[in-house]
Structures are given as C-alpha cells and as structure tokens.
Amino acid sequence: RAKQAGRNGVQTFDLAMGSETAAQLALERDLRAALTRGEFLLHYQPVFDVSSGLVTGFEALIRWAHPTQGLISPGTFIPVAEEAALIVPLGTWVLHEACRQATLWQVSRAVTMSVNVSALQFEQPDFVKTVREALRSTGLPPGQLILELTESAVLRDPDAAVAQLRDLRALGIRIALDDFGTGHSSLSLLRRLPIDALKIDRSFVQDAAAEVMVGVAVTLARAFSLHVVAEGIETEGQRALAQALGCDGMQGYLLARPAPADEMPPC
Ligand code: C2E
Ligand code: MG
Ligand code: MG
Ligand code: MG
C-alpha cells in the first residue's frame, strides 16, 4: 500500500513491500465488505475489583466472524484497518455496539464499558462528537464509559491530545492509558495527560521481574492519582502480586476470558 500521497497526489510505493501489497489490498477489500455485511462482533472480558473480587465492568474486544476462516482476532486485521482508515467507521461501530450492550447490563447495577480507540480514530476532528453521539443514541451514562488509548495515540501531537482528552473528560467519560509501559511516553508527558487510569501491560505482569515492573507502575499511578489495572493475570501468583502491590483492578484468563455477551457472568 502507498505510504502517503505525494505532494502532487502521486502515491509512492516501497518496492520491498511489493509482495505484501497484494495480500494487504485483498485484506483491505475483504474488511470493507465485512463492514457492510456486518461480520464484526464484540467479545467482552470482565474487569475485576482486586479487593472485593467483584466484576466492575467489561472491556469490548472486536472479532471478525469471517465467512470461511472463522473468528479472526484483532491483531490480524486492526493494523490493516488502521492503514486503510477503515478503523474510523469500524471504531464508530464498536463504540455504539459496546455502549448499547453496557446499557443492557447496567439494569441491575452500574458497570463500566471499556472501548479500545486507535490513534487514527482519536485524531479525527469529530471524534469527541462521535463519542457524544454514541452516548446520546444509546443512553449510556457517560460515567460508565472508559476509552482505552495507547501511548502512541497521544505521542504524535501531545498538545492536541491533551486538549482533546480534556474535551472527552468534560463529557463525563474516563480515559485509560492502555498497554502502559510498552510505549515511549515520558514521565513528563504522563504528568501532563488528563487521564484516569493506567492499564499495566501483561508483558510486565508476566515478566520474571514483575514485582519490580508492576511495583513501579503502581507507584507512578499513585503519584498521579490514577486508577491502576493489571492485565494478563494468568496465574494465582500473578493475582496475589497484583493484590499485594495495590492494583485496583485486574483482568486475565485466570479470572475470565473474553467471550460473547450472553456468556458473561451476571454482575
Ligand atoms: P488490549 O486492549 O491490550 O486487550 C487485551 C488483549 O489481551 C486482548 O486480546 C485479550 O483477549 C488479551 N488477554 C486478556 N487476558 C489475557 C491473559 O490473561 N493472557 C493473555 N495472553 N492475553 C490476555 P485481543 O482481544 O486479541 O485484542 C488484542 C488487541 O487488539 C487489544 O489489546 C487492542 O489493542 C486491539 N483491539 C481489540 N479490540 C479493538 C477495538 O475494538 N478497536 C481497536 N482500535 N483495537 C482493538
Ligand atoms: Mg485495551
Ligand atoms: Mg492492553
Ligand atoms: Mg494492546
């Protein structure tokens, strides 16, 4: 795929990527068709409160129900959807669908819904409007929506990101920094970001030096008054560590795997 349209609209191709281009274009075409045919669906993974052990909310995770290949995970198609800008309409669909599901679940008590947002989506000038519209049309109370952004989404233009995060939080929603620790953001940027939570990447939780890595992340979160969630809890040892180090929330296969809405535990 062309990396960028040149000055006079001519697209320049990286020759080394030539063989990838055909496959990628085919995938792009399939993704576009999948979007119009409604082949995407959301799985949900519960988020647990560390001290009470109760489910406090869910994270929406997209899947592609491919007509011949079965369920395809986001790692395969999200990068292509980003490259082709399809992530914008796709992300809007995710936002609406996740908010709609959250309103169904919040009948008995308020649960949060976490939605992953890619950098390109976040950079859309009308992104705040898109979020407001999803809340309005589904009736989800803003306090129950959490947007998960990665460091890369805020790094390209930190000043613009800070301003937009303020606008988003003014809607009453919360912001979590996802995959925390794997990106390149600095301490000074972290200090400036108007966010509510850090999600510690599972590579840290599962690291041989997890005690140090998770400990530092929790210390940072405390210093900046942020809620902190440990991702990728797969063992009792990791759960005990998250608890001992003072994580607020936790997610992982040990506790619950992502699954369709009708398989979620009652909350
Ligand atoms: P993420 O937001 O960091 O989500 C966590 C990923 O870790 C999910 O993979 C989840 O299934 C997996 N996971 C949860 N617990 C465990 C565990 O204990 N062990 C292991 N090994 N993995 C665990 P998934 O669903 O394949 O999603 C991968 C990534 O794709 C997500 O990472 C997120 O960055 C992206 N993604 C998923 N859904 C969306 C979406 O709707 N929009 C956008 N823009 N990105 C999405
Ligand atoms: Mg996430
Ligand atoms: Mg993550
Ligand atoms: Mg991730």
Side-chain angles (χ1 to χ4, degrees):
R1 183 186 155 80
K3 276 192 166 164
Q4 234 173 8
R7 217 179 316 157
N8 37 20
V10 177
Q11 311 230 305
T12 52
F13 288 86
D14 183 348
L15 284 179
M17 285 169 45
S19 60
E20 255 176 356
T21 302
Q24 198 162 339
L25 284 175
L27 183 53
E28 268 182 44
R29 188 200 54 214
D30 291 353
L31 279 172
R32 230 175 275 277
L35 194 55
T36 54
R37 286 199 295 252
E39 290 173 3
F40 294 99
L41 55 101
L42 296 180
H43 278 185
Y44 298 91
Q45 185 179 33
V47 182
F48 293 79
D49 178 67
V50 171
S51 41
S52 69
L54 293 174
V55 173
T56 55
F58 300 87
E59 177 174 3
L61 296 160
I62 196 169
R63 273 54 183 143
W64 177 7
H66 193 279
T68 58
Q69 294 171 44
L71 270 199
I72 303 182
S73 49
T76 312
F77 64 85
I78 289 284
V80 178
E82 274 168 355
E83 181 93 355
L86 282 171
I87 193 68
V88 177
L90 191 56
T92 300
W93 175 80
V94 171
L95 200 53
H96 279 259
E97 180 61 15
C99 289
R100 191 189 64 79
Q101 183 59 60
T103 60
L104 300 179
W105 276 329
Q106 60 130 24
V107 176
S108 44
R109 71 178 171 89
V111 287
T112 59
M113 179 58 74
S114 297
V115 175
N116 293 285
V117 172
S118 79
L120 189 65
Q121 248 184 300
F122 182 70
E123 284 167 5
Q124 297 304 302
D126 60 352
F127 182 66
V128 179
K129 200 171 137 229
T130 301
V131 174
R132 197 190 305 121
E133 176 54 24
L135 292 168
R136 193 202 57 77
S137 71
T138 60
L140 183 69
Q144 283 163 245
L145 180 62
I146 300 173
L147 296 183
E148 298 193 358
L149 289 157
T150 56
E151 289 156 84
S152 61
V154 293
L155 272 174
R156 276 195 267 195
D157 187 348
D159 291 334
V162 167
Q164 178 152 288
L165 289 172
R166 288 215 179 92
D167 292 345
L168 286 167
R169 287 174 95 210
L171 298 177
I173 70 167
R174 280 173 275 175
I175 310 289
L177 200 58
D178 202 356
D179 304 340
F180 178 70
T182 61
H184 300 280
S185 58
S186 62
L187 265 184
S188 56
L189 178 64
L190 186 62
R191 194 175 69 82
R192 280 182 62 206
L193 286 180
I195 59 175
D196 302 280
L198 293 184
K199 293 190 78 171
I200 307 173
D201 194 71
R202 72 164 179 271
S203 61
F204 288 169
V205 173
Q206 300 174 356
D207 194 275
E211 197 163 347
V212 176
M213 311 291 268
V214 175
V216 167
V218 173
T219 301
L220 275 176
R222 289 284 164 266
F224 297 132
S225 305
L226 301 173
H227 188 85
V228 58
V229 178
E231 294 190 317
I233 303 285
E234 290 183 1
T235 67
E236 286 296 348
Q238 288 160 0
R239 187 222 296 255
L241 190 73
Q243 202 155 18
L245 294 176
C247 290
D248 303 298
M250 55 184 175
Q251 257 178 301
Y253 291 170
L254 176 74
L255 311 155
R257 286 182 179 259
D262 57 8
E263 290 173 31
M264 285 300 109
C267 42

